[in-house]
Amino acid sequence: MEYDPSLPWYRRLHWQVLAAMGLGAATGAIFGAPAAEALGWIGDLFMKLLRMIIVPLVLTSIVSGVASVGGGKAIGRLFSKTMAYYVVSSFLAAMTGLLMVNLIRPGRNADMGAAAQSEIPEINTPDSPTELLLDIVPNNFIEAAGAGDMLAIIFFCIVFGAAITTLPEKPRTIVTDIFNSFFQAMMALTSGIIKFLPIGVFALIVAMVGETGFDRFAALAKYFATIGSGLTIHLFITLPLLLFVVGRIKPLVHFANMREPLLTAFSTSSSGATLPVTIKTLREKVGVSNKVSSFVLPMGATVNMDGTAIFECAGALFITQVLGIDLSIGQQAIVVLTALLASIGAAAVPSAGVVVIFIVLNAIGLGSNPEAIMIVGAMLAIDRPLDMYRTAVNVFSDSCGAAIIARSEGEEGVDTEVRH
Ligand code: ASP
């Protein structure tokens, strides 16, 4: 119902979500912590609803998508294009972070004491590339699905989907039809949950503003400006250029079609929780086939995080500036590369990016420096607004990748118009 073009504006979902954000911010600012306490559970409930559908949605979407690609060669081609896009866009992002942190130099005279300390959760990231590879293959698919281990789930679904394409026609059609039908059912469920988006967003924003308030952000304005401008350049210049030059897609149309996933990413700070909205939008509004979107989006939500790459690079260099350490060009190159790795390793959940910054710090020998750890704690305490913004950039990059790859596969209907 929300896609009916004849609907008046106030019944359109994105306006409702925007209004919910404004109302939520006002309620949180006026009533503070008690409002956050009273309404927080609604936000939690909404996040649970979104998370509940991720595994079955990703499973059915990938298996039906890969099964329809037809044959190993086509899958290989799609896989190479997807990887190429992830690497190029994340690298451009990390370089933007590098540029901004060197231009603005936010670490000079930063007042870290103004940001409250908060506990740093333990990170559980693979130590080496071999370990990462071993982690991708699950011991047991059901266990991986139970744990929500996305890379392992994706791996299984891709090889399972590929195996389906090798079957004789009769069983192939039967299994593909079954997965297609399950996928449609999951999409219907997703649509149902998305109807509650304004309510969920309202409660999430009340909790965010009510719990944190605004004062502790002021002292670190330059730090915010650095990360914020890096994200802005990537979102409004780099990615639109990629869309236009490589995909021959009008960036404004893509932005307009992507409004709901962008608002959802912004409100939930989780690419994972946004994934159902992203998948639905790419299919129904951007006009990308299930074949491409099922390949690019779930994997993208897990490993392609441009906003996080900007943050890792600029954040780590910010820490070195606060500590008064000057890095050589070689060391800065290490920061860029490990920032890429950290963005791949970050889970698609709120503030994961801050936690994995230790991957970058370890590479430059600051991983167990007590002062550096203290600064990371402060960054974590004030992370929410930055997290909201970088999650939106993460999701937008995935959508650009899907649109560009769909065009390169000859799909004609991509972003031809703004769809309501
Ligand atoms: N919250 C981000 C995401 O889900 C990850 C991060 O913290 O950078 O995409």
Side-chain angles (χ1 to χ4, degrees):
M1 149 185 139
E2 67 265 27
Y3 296 146
D4 177 356
S6 62
L7 278 181
W9 68 270
Y10 55 85
R11 290 192 55 197
R12 297 223 171 126
L13 190 61
H14 61 283
W15 286 117
Q16 294 182 348
V17 174
L18 269 176
M21 285 171 118
L23 266 181
T27 311
I30 296 169
F31 300 104
E37 234 163 74
L39 297 173
W41 68 272
I42 300 177
D44 294 344
L45 185 65
F46 184 67
M47 290 289 273
K48 283 184 88 171
L49 282 171
L50 284 174
R51 288 205 203 102
M52 170 184 90
I53 51 180
I54 293 174
V55 173
L57 180 64
V58 165
L59 171 90
T60 52
S61 134
I62 298 185
V63 174
S64 66
V66 173
S68 69
V69 174
K73 257 207 187 130
I75 294 173
R77 192 185 61 231
L78 214 49
F79 186 75
S80 323
K81 284 184 187 176
T82 307
M83 288 303 141
Y85 173 80
Y86 290 166
V87 171
V88 169
S89 69
S90 303
F91 179 73
L92 291 173
M95 290 303 286
T96 309
L98 180 72
L99 182 74
M100 294 324 292
V101 81
N102 279 309
L103 278 181
I104 304 181
R105 302 207 133 261
R108 282 218 200 128
N109 314 323
D111 177 8
M112 297 312 297
Q117 233 287 107
S118 67
E119 283 211 359
I120 303 167
E122 236 178 76
I123 39 167
N124 194 2
T125 36
D127 292 331
S128 66
T130 342
E131 203 179 310
L132 178 70
L133 206 66
L134 283 176
D135 277 356
I136 291 177
V137 184
N139 274 319
N140 171 340
F141 172 68
I142 305 292
E143 197 180 271
D149 182 351
M150 290 315 285
L151 285 184
I153 296 172
I154 291 169
F155 175 80
F156 177 82
C157 294
I158 290 177
V159 290
F160 181 57
I164 294 175
T165 64
T166 65
L167 296 179
E169 193 185 335
K170 192 167 173 230
R172 189 181 70 230
T173 325
I174 295 176
V175 187
T176 311
D177 283 351
I178 290 176
F179 273 93
N180 274 336
S181 310
F182 268 110
F183 178 51
Q184 281 170 29
M186 285 314 302
M187 289 303 289
L189 184 53
T190 307
S191 304
I193 292 172
I194 289 177
K195 295 213 171 85
F196 295 97
L197 196 57
I199 300 176
V201 163
F202 169 74
L204 286 169
I205 301 279
V206 171
M208 199 276 279
V209 176
E211 268 163 23
T212 12
F214 292 108
D215 10 320
R216 56 156 86 127
F217 301 114
L220 289 169
K222 263 186 158 185
Y223 165 73
F224 276 95
T226 307
I227 312 267
S229 53
L231 293 170
T232 304
I233 291 173
H234 198 69
L235 181 63
F236 292 109
I237 299 178
T238 313
L239 289 175
L241 270 176
L242 280 180
L243 270 180
F244 189 69
V245 176
V246 188
R248 298 260 147 241
I249 292 164
K250 289 192 187 124
L252 283 181
V253 176
H254 189 69
F255 267 112
N257 281 330
M258 278 296 291
R259 53 198 181 257
E260 275 136 24
L262 285 174
L263 292 172
T264 310
F266 196 74
S267 313
T268 59
S269 283
S270 165
S271 318
T274 310
L275 185 59
V277 188
T278 319
I279 291 181
K280 183 175 157 62
T281 303
L282 263 285
R283 278 171 47 101
E284 293 176 4
K285 293 193 179 177
V286 179
V288 169
S289 68
N290 184 35
K291 174 185 110 177
V292 171
S293 60
S294 72
F295 215 88
V296 183
L297 298 176
M299 204 153 34
T302 321
V303 302
N304 180 49
M305 297 196 178
D306 292 9
T308 306
I310 294 173
F311 174 82
E312 301 305 326
C313 184
L317 290 173
F318 165 73
I319 294 174
T320 63
Q321 288 175 358
V322 175
L323 299 179
I325 301 171
D326 261 330
L327 294 188
S328 65
I329 300 281
Q331 282 171 313
Q332 298 211 7
I334 291 181
V335 170
V336 170
L337 286 182
T338 46
L340 282 186
L341 286 183
S343 74
I344 294 172
V349 298
S351 281
V354 184
V355 180
V356 292
I357 206 165
F358 282 105
I359 295 181
V360 186
L361 294 178
N362 281 336
I364 48 174
L366 290 176
S368 30
N369 178 307
E371 266 182 285
I373 296 174
M374 193 282 289
I375 300 171
V376 175
M379 285 160 77
L380 195 58
I382 53 161
D383 187 50
R384 191 62 187 213
L386 288 176
D387 193 15
M388 296 163 86
Y389 196 7
R390 67 175 184 263
T391 306
V393 175
N394 290 346
V395 168
F396 194 69
S397 171
D398 297 339
S399 77
C400 292
I404 290 172
I405 292 169
R407 291 282 297 177
S408 79
E409 290 284 299
E411 292 182 15
E412 295 293 338
V414 181
D415 282 326
T416 43
E417 59 184 332
V418 177
R419 299 188 178 98
H420 291 287

